Amino acid sequence: MTLTRRLLLLALISVLPAIVIWTYTEVSLRRDREAEVNDLAIRQAQLVGAELERIFDGVYGLLLAIDETRSIRSFDTAVCSPYLKAIQEKVPYVLSFVAMDISGHIRCRPTGTIDTQHYYADRAYFHNAISVRGFVVGDYTPVFEEGGLRPHPVLPLALPIWDERGELVGVLAAALDLKWLAQKVKERTVPENGSVTIADRRGVVIVQDPQPERLLGKLLPQDYLNQARARSVGTAQIVGPDGVRRVVGYSPFAVAPQDVYINVGLSTKAAFASINQAARRGFMLIAAALILALSLSALLSRAFITQPFDRLIGAVRDWRQGNYQARIDIPGKAGEFGILARAFNDLLDDVAERQQALQASEERARLALEGGRMGTWWYDPARNAGGWSSQAAAMLGLPPAPTKMIAQEWRALIHPDDVERVFSKWLTTVKNKGEYEDEYRIRHPNGGIRWINSKGRVFLDAQKKPVSFVGIFQDITEQKQAEEQQRFFLDELNHRVKNTLTTVQSIASQTLRTTETPEQFREAFEGRLLALSKTHNLLTRKSWREAELRDIAEQELAPYRKPGDERVVLTGPDVKLPARYAINLGLVLHELVTNAAKYGALSTNSGHLEVAWTVVERPDRPQQLRIHWTETGGPPVAPPKRQGFGSRLIRRSIEGELGGYMVLNFAEAGVSYDISVPLSPGA
């Protein structure tokens, strides 16, 4: 790819953040606006519900007042009919009031007539009012015949009539004008370009806007029915009867006002109009900026890239033809091309420097050959940067390709506890212009810690100034681990000798308390010492073969058990342990027994020890060996103030060597251990 094309690509990339920011902003704004619109739709539906409740409450209060009238309770037609007519004229949104007796005959209505020939007890609101003995909202009714009205959609509202003795004698009904209700709801609650749908408990539409003729008096579509049967308010995007897509907020039958479904829609086009306009404006601005950037980049590349590059190519052609006196004539203000020109002009002067670099390279190769299976490294004090060979990179867990690294990156590889000392010694060596040798830890990319032995030498120029610092790496991790293992085994040997002497002392003390004659003491004491010896022999014999967990436990506890004595109980299945498990669990049980004999249940005649183990199998993980060590009846238990070697040995064996975990509980009754280690497939 040419430099001109790269410059154009760079211009394109420079506009890319603006595109990303615009896209992110657009998505965020739309999400926020969508949440706002959904919330607004739900609030509008709730507002319609509140308006309906207000209207229903007003009719309910009016019916209560009428119901208290004596002429209504006694069905005095001569008095109650004019009374209902007077009230109806004051509340025009109620087209008629009707008082019916318990049989469904018309006794009072504004027309002044009674009807004892027809029965209106089959009306749903009539049955509901009698059943609930309270105020009810009826169903959509195209013709309210009982009120003497012509065909006109109404919603009946009814209340039981009680006589002076408190007996239910009939039903008082009011016919709410649905055209008035639709106009009132639209004026008070429906926004511009919005929609509203209200249905009765049967799902029949009683209010619809826009295009009421499409749904009024008909059963709700299936999508609306599903919303009506929901348990809580919600939102959805649908296309209304007029073909407009809207976000609708709905209130189902289960939400107040009861037995009424409410659906209020907001036009998505109107809701997102401002965002869409801003998005188009932002897109046009970004497109204009991109075109301008590409145009300027094309013009500038001609002056600042193509022409200087042609001069460079001409000079290189002269050098290839043998004219080593040729030079590149580029002004100093040419930027990077000027720097490149000076670099080419100084090429011949760099021959001596290359010779010195070749000598340093030969010295690095010699050191690497002397060290054997080692990696070389180098450091430039002037540039504060360096690198290493592929062997050294592999040792450090880095890619095998030749690697260059600055001091800050090298600092990140060194263990935090060693970094200050390593850099201090490094800089001191460069300053003193001498030999270098150090040992420190690095953090391997696989998560492990490696020990490194590093040796090097500072090389000087003619003015005795350091120009390079080269050396070798050697991985001494295994050597450090061997030294650590040796120290551990020495500590362990010293600790086991002390524990053995303590155990012998405890055995002697307990045996002396439980025997009466010197002969009995000698026999019991020798038996317990023999059992202790067998435990050590078992660990020695089984060190590199399998061993039974029960054998190890019985051998360790044999000095504290005797026939008929239930103070020590062992329970668990047969478990054959590999050599590594046998050694570590043998050490753990030895430490637990020693602690119990020193301080726990085995240090008294009344103590009790229970050791139980199980093997847990699961399909998704290796087998787990669970060991439960429980002591009771011993001396009072308290957590130790410091952790001794024995406690460290137990935790290291379980968590470090076997990859398990241990829970220690200093309960009032006695100490307990819960141990879990994963078993190998053959265990």
Side-chain angles (χ1 to χ4, degrees):
M1 183 182 293
T2 64
L3 289 176
T4 300
R5 292 182 178 179
R6 292 180 181 179
L7 183 60
L8 294 176
L9 179 61
L10 183 61
L12 179 62
I13 293 175
S14 65
V15 182
L16 186 60
I19 298 176
V20 173
I21 294 173
W22 172 79
T23 304
Y24 175 81
T25 304
E26 175 67 13
V27 172
S28 299
L29 288 176
R30 287 189 176 274
R31 287 180 177 175
D32 294 341
R33 181 55 179 166
E34 184 177 357
E36 291 176 1
V37 172
N38 289 340
D39 185 61
L40 180 59
I42 292 176
R43 291 201 302 270
Q44 290 297 123
Q46 293 172 339
L47 182 61
V48 172
E51 182 66 16
L52 285 179
E53 281 191 315
R54 186 186 66 79
I55 295 173
F56 290 163
D57 288 342
V59 176
Y60 172 55
L62 185 58
L63 290 179
L64 278 179
I66 296 174
D67 197 27
E68 293 295 326
T69 305
R70 182 183 301 273
S71 61
I72 296 295
R73 292 187 174 186
S74 62
F75 299 117
D76 186 356
T77 305
V79 178
C80 65
S81 292
Y83 172 71
L84 292 180
K85 182 178 181 181
I87 293 179
Q88 190 273 326
E89 291 175 350
K90 294 180 180 179
V91 282
Y93 55 89
V94 177
L95 299 181
S96 181
F97 291 93
V98 177
M100 294 173 283
D101 60 21
I102 198 67
S103 299
H105 294 121
I106 302 297
R107 293 305 185 106
C108 301
R109 59 183 174 186
T111 58
T113 61
I114 62 173
D115 189 353
T116 58
Q117 296 180 355
H118 298 89
Y119 296 88
Y120 297 99
D122 59 341
R123 297 295 193 256
Y125 66 85
F126 189 98
H127 284 286
N128 291 339
I130 297 297
S131 300
V132 302
R133 294 177 176 268
F135 179 74
V136 296
V137 178
D139 304 328
Y140 172 85
T141 303
V143 181
F144 192 67
E145 297 177 353
E146 50 268 50
L149 300 178
R150 289 175 295 179
H152 192 95
V154 298
L155 183 67
L157 307 173
L159 187 70
I161 300 175
W162 309 85
D163 62 9
E164 300 295 334
R165 295 174 295 179
E167 295 181 356
L168 195 152
V169 295
V171 173
L172 177 65
L176 181 63
D177 186 0
L178 290 182
K179 293 183 179 180
W180 174 88
L181 180 62
Q183 185 64 28
K184 183 63 67 174
V185 169
K186 181 179 179 181
E187 291 175 354
R188 287 182 173 269
T189 59
V190 179
E192 185 178 0
N193 296 324
S195 66
V196 61
T197 302
I198 304 175
D200 61 20
R201 58 169 167 252
R202 298 177 304 170
V204 176
V205 177
I206 61 176
V207 173
Q208 169 62 36
D209 187 78
Q211 299 183 356
E213 65 278 4
R214 297 286 296 274
L215 291 178
L216 187 63
K218 299 178 182 178
L219 191 64
L220 286 169
Q222 187 59 44
D223 291 342
Y224 287 6
L225 283 176
N226 294 336
Q227 297 171 5
R229 298 188 183 106
R231 304 306 303 172
S232 60
V233 297
T235 61
Q237 279 202 23
I238 60 173
V239 178
D242 56 348
V244 177
R245 176 172 292 277
R246 292 182 175 90
V247 175
V248 298
Y250 57 86
S251 176
F253 291 144
V255 179
Q258 299 290 335
D259 299 333
V260 177
Y261 164 74
I262 301 171
N263 177 318
V264 178
L266 304 177
S267 171
T268 56
K269 182 178 180 180
F272 292 93
S274 60
I275 293 180
N276 293 334
Q277 183 179 2
R280 287 192 296 270
R281 186 166 53 251
F283 179 80
M284 295 300 296
L285 289 175
I286 292 176
L290 179 60
I291 295 173
L292 180 61
L294 293 178
S295 301
L296 291 177
S297 298
L299 293 175
L300 294 177
S301 65
R302 174 67 181 169
F304 296 103
I305 296 179
T306 304
Q307 294 178 357
F309 190 79
D310 290 340
R311 294 183 181 181
L312 287 174
I313 295 299
V316 172
R317 188 181 299 111
D318 292 339
W319 290 339
R320 292 185 62 185
Q321 294 174 356
N323 183 13
Y324 298 108
Q325 302 301 321
R327 292 292 183 270
I328 301 174
D329 184 17
I330 294 181
K333 297 181 179 180
E336 287 78 8
F337 280 102
I339 297 175
L340 184 60
R342 288 192 295 272
F344 278 121
N345 293 336
D346 295 337
L347 180 61
L348 294 179
D349 297 336
D350 292 342
V351 173
E353 183 178 350
R354 292 185 180 183
Q355 185 65 28
Q356 187 177 7
L358 177 61
Q359 179 182 356
S361 177
E362 292 176 350
E363 183 66 18
R364 291 197 300 269
R366 185 183 67 80
L367 291 175
L369 291 175
E370 290 177 354
R373 298 182 66 183
M374 300 176 185
T376 61
W377 54 264
W378 61 93
Y379 173 67
D380 187 345
R383 299 178 181 177
N384 193 26
W388 40 67
S389 64
S390 58
Q391 296 88 346
M395 187 187 308
L396 299 173
L398 300 174
T403 305
K404 294 183 179 180
M405 182 173 289
I406 61 176
Q408 289 78 3
E409 296 172 326
W410 172 238
R411 176 185 291 267
L413 286 175
I414 302 177
H415 193 280
D417 295 341
D418 298 342
V419 63
E420 296 301 332
R421 176 183 59 81
V422 169
F423 269 80
S424 176
K425 191 170 184 178
W426 181 287
L427 296 176
T428 300
T429 302
V430 174
K431 182 179 180 180
N432 295 335
K433 308 168 187 177
E435 302 287 338
Y436 169 78
E437 182 174 2
D438 197 4
E439 291 182 358
Y440 48 87
R441 294 165 292 178
I442 65 167
R443 295 182 291 189
H444 201 272
N446 63 8
I449 299 297
R450 310 294 296 178
W451 274 94
I452 294 296
N453 178 273
S454 182
K455 297 180 181 179
R457 181 184 305 167
V458 178
F459 291 89
L460 311 175
D461 59 9
Q463 287 77 29
K464 301 299 181 180
K465 295 182 179 180
V467 293
S468 64
F469 190 8
V470 298
I472 59 172
F473 281 141
Q474 181 181 11
D475 190 336
I476 59 171
T477 304
E478 295 182 359
Q479 175 184 339
K480 289 292 184 179
Q481 290 176 344
E483 293 174 356
E484 176 67 19
Q485 191 74 2
Q486 183 178 11
R487 286 194 297 270
F488 171 74
F489 281 125
L490 288 175
D491 291 340
E492 179 190 343
L493 177 61
N494 181 43
H495 182 67
R496 286 188 64 84
V497 169
K498 292 180 180 179
N499 282 347
T500 301
L501 294 177
T502 303
T503 302
V504 171
Q505 181 182 6
S506 175
I507 291 173
S509 175
Q510 292 186 58
T511 305
L512 183 62
R513 291 198 302 268
T514 57
T515 56
E516 298 179 357
T517 64
E519 184 63 25
Q520 292 177 348
F521 170 77
R522 183 185 64 79
E523 181 178 357
F525 185 61
E526 289 181 353
R528 292 180 176 176
L529 286 182
L530 180 60
L532 181 63
S533 175
K534 289 180 179 180
T535 300
H536 289 275
N537 290 338
L538 178 63
L539 290 173
T540 303
R541 291 197 310 270
K542 304 293 183 177
S543 294
W544 309 110
R545 301 193 307 273
E546 64 181 18
E548 284 283 351
L549 176 60
R550 186 181 300 276
D551 293 341
I552 298 174
E554 289 180 347
Q555 289 293 339
E556 290 291 345
L557 289 167
Y560 306 96
R561 304 178 71 190
K562 56 185 178 180
D565 185 4
E566 295 298 331
R567 64 194 299 245
V568 178
V569 178
L570 299 177
T571 57
D574 293 337
V575 180
K576 291 185 178 181
L577 300 174
R580 185 167 64 92
Y581 283 76
I583 293 173
N584 283 280
L585 290 178
L587 291 172
V588 170
L589 290 176
H590 175 76
E591 293 301 327
L592 294 178
V593 170
T594 301
N595 291 340
K598 287 181 178 180
Y599 320 109
L602 299 182
S603 64
T604 64
N605 293 331
S606 60
H608 182 271
L609 171 62
E610 181 178 356
V611 184
W613 62 87
T614 57
V615 177
V616 179
E617 296 188 8
R618 293 184 179 176
D620 58 339
R621 57 186 299 184
Q623 291 180 334
Q624 296 285 322
L625 174 62
R626 302 283 178 82
I627 302 176
H628 305 282
W629 175 286
T630 307
E631 299 181 26
T632 56
V637 176
K641 295 182 179 179
R642 65 181 184 88
Q643 188 181 32
F645 178 77
S647 300
R648 294 197 304 272
L649 177 61
I650 294 173
R651 190 169 295 277
R652 175 174 177 175
S653 298
I654 297 300
E655 298 180 353
E657 299 293 337
L658 300 182
Y661 66 87
M662 179 188 71
V663 178
L664 174 59
N665 182 21
F666 290 97
E668 184 176 353
V671 69
S672 63
Y673 291 80
D674 286 323
I675 298 172
S676 178
V677 295
L679 292 176
S680 61

